[in-house]
Amino acid sequence: MPPVSATLIWILVALVAIGLYLSWTAGRLDRLHARIDAARAALDAQLLRRASVAQELATSKVLDPAASIVLYEAAHAARQAEEEQREVAESELSQALRAVLAEPAQVEAVREAPGGEEAAKELAQAVRRVPMARRFHNDAVRAARALRRHRKVRWFRLAGHAPFPMAFEMDDEPPTALVDRAGA
């Protein structure tokens, strides 16, 4: 085999190997973006569920009128928030839930009302699932961001036109009295 042919074959093999590696990296990045989309859909579902349950509790006449208004307005604002205001609205709902259900006595009053036991149980489940869904979403975002920062991804534009993934930052601490009682 002439030396020029051997060199061309080795160059071709190297180019194919590099192409396969870049293709694998692009596929991995695509899977991470799909994981972010799925995690964001799950997070949106959990946030919507939490707001819906909070609204139901606010309109059930189980709470005192002032607490009902505070909770209803925060839940309504969270459900109606535009995307750029969503984190703030969801944080405000978390704060309203903690304010309304701050004391174990308040949670017990909710549970003792007709239909209150089921409402409190459903709300406790909803507020426990939000931080978990947010953590899954933010973990997927963190992994995609780490991969997108690599030079090979930037140089070869392996991310295509996909927007840079953004984490969802909000106050998602649940009311302690509600979660402690639900765990007991």
Side-chain angles (χ1 to χ4, degrees), residues 111-140:
R111 290 182 185 281
E112 290 170 1
E117 182 70 35
E118 185 61 34
K121 181 181 173 186
E122 204 174 331
L123 184 60
Q125 289 174 350
V127 299
R128 260 192 257 124
R129 289 179 179 160
V130 166
M132 213 176 342
R134 189 174 75 86
R135 197 169 317 121
F136 287 140
H137 175 267
N138 288 349
D139 286 347

Side-chain angles (χ1 to χ4, degrees), residues 58-122:
T59 58
S60 68
K61 300 191 189 310
V62 171
L63 301 170
D64 64 86
S68 291
I69 290 171
V70 167
L71 190 57
Y72 182 84
E73 286 180 355
H76 182 72
R79 289 183 74 173
Q80 301 299 321
E82 296 294 324
E83 191 59 37
E84 53 276 349
Q85 294 298 317
R86 184 98 187 265
E87 294 171 350
V88 173
E90 294 294 347
S91 294
E92 289 172 354
L93 177 55
S94 295
Q95 293 165 1
L97 285 166
R98 284 196 308 271
V100 169
L101 302 170
E103 301 295 323
Q106 292 167 313
V107 175
E108 284 306 314
V110 168
R111 290 182 185 281
E112 290 170 1
E117 182 70 35
E118 185 61 34
K121 181 181 173 186
E122 204 174 331

Side-chain angles (χ1 to χ4, degrees), residues 2 9 17 33 36 47 54 81 83 94 138-139 145 166:
I9 289 174
H33 283 158
I36 289 170
L47 291 171
E83 191 59 37
S94 295
N138 288 349
D139 286 347
R145 283 176 150 187
M166 300 302 291

Side-chain angles (χ1 to χ4, degrees), residues 33-49 83 86 133-134 136-137 168:
H33 283 158
R35 190 172 125 203
I36 289 170
D37 291 343
R40 181 58 188 242
L43 175 61
D44 286 342
Q46 292 305 322
L47 291 171
L48 180 61
R49 181 171 182 257
E83 191 59 37
R86 184 98 187 265
R134 189 174 75 86
F136 287 140
H137 175 267
F168 194 87

